[in-house]
Amino acid sequence: MRFLVAYLRSPPAMIGLVLLLVVIGMALSADWFYPRDPLSLAGRPLIWPGANPRFLLGTDNSGRDIAAQIFHGARVSLLIGVVATSIAIALGIVIGALAGYHGGWVDDVLMRVTEAFQTLPNFLLLLVFVAVFGSDIVTVTIAIGAVSWPAPARLTRAEFLTLRNREFVQACRTIGMGDGRIIFREILPNALPPVIVYASVIMAVAILLESALAFLRLSDPNVASWGNLIGLGRDVLRVQWYVSAIPGVAILVTVLAVSLVGQGLNDALNPRLRKR
């Protein structure tokens, strides 16, 4: 209850929540408003927004309805963000928990692997994954999650290092509780709040990474993603700039919403901030 009250008291958090609910509503209602395939031809190419009441946001280079792609693209972007974030958080928690709890050579090996992943930028690693394994939407989503785990791993490790010698952990060892139960049932629940907050950062970055891939035409061209639409608009950017601008605004709003929600979670879960 205190968490909910603290969250609702934050105006930026509420703005982010409202924006995120709007995007989720677009994703859920996409089939109702636009039941046809969003990548099917709908009219003549490059109709400006408002010029034809059938196409409120106009059409792209191929004559496809931009509004339909925006609504269906919300589903794609949210799905990529949620799945990629889940993969990154799951990998990060397991690796960080093992490193922080056991220490010693286990910590050294796992942290050297983590540092090896962090020596190269995420996007460069993502390009390598896509080049090797392909660019269908499932592969891209898994690849984004696979390059995003080092940060939550280091965060989880830091939390475990501060908690592994606490009294409740010593008591668990005294009564003969196994390491697995101590890690995942006793320590992890206490280490999760900062990891959950950081998940919002990973989700925002995941949406941006997929959009960047699509802009370079390295993502799946068979899905109606906002990045693909921006990439199409690149060819007519000087004249029909709206083709890229509209999905760009959608990405901006979604990333801003996720970031504000994450900030609100941090304010609500951080006891030092709650006291202010």
Side-chain angles (χ1 to χ4, degrees), residues 247-265:
V249 171
I251 293 173
L252 173 64
V253 170
T254 304
V255 171
L256 177 63
V258 173
S259 299
L260 290 176
V261 168
Q263 178 184 333
L265 289 175

Side-chain angles (χ1 to χ4, degrees), residues 122-132 213 216 218:
N122 283 3
F123 190 65
L124 186 57
L125 282 174
L126 183 58
L127 291 177
V128 173
F129 273 103
V130 171
V132 174
L213 276 181
L216 296 175
L218 295 175

Side-chain angles (χ1 to χ4, degrees), residues 8 53 67 79 82 85-86 93 105 128-129 146 149 153 157 167-168 187 190 203 225 247 258 267-270:
L8 294 177
L79 185 62
V82 170
T85 300
S86 300
I93 285 176
W105 68 268
V128 173
F129 273 103
W149 64 265
R157 172 182 175 268
E167 290 79 3
F168 72 94
I187 302 180
N190 294 283
M203 183 172 177
S225 77
V258 173
D267 294 346
L269 292 172
N270 192 326

Side-chain angles (χ1 to χ4, degrees), residues 12-67:
M14 291 305 300
I15 293 173
L17 181 61
V18 170
L19 292 176
L20 187 58
L21 289 176
V22 170
V23 176
I24 293 173
M26 290 170 56
L28 294 177
S29 63
D31 286 332
W32 188 69
F33 283 109
Y34 300 98
R36 295 180 55 193
D37 181 0
L39 298 181
S40 62
L41 300 182
R44 63 181 180 84
L46 300 176
I47 298 176
W48 274 80
N52 187 325
R54 286 183 55 202
F55 310 112
L56 296 178
L57 299 180
T59 58
D60 64 12
N61 315 33
S62 301
R64 296 175 294 197
D65 190 351
I66 291 178

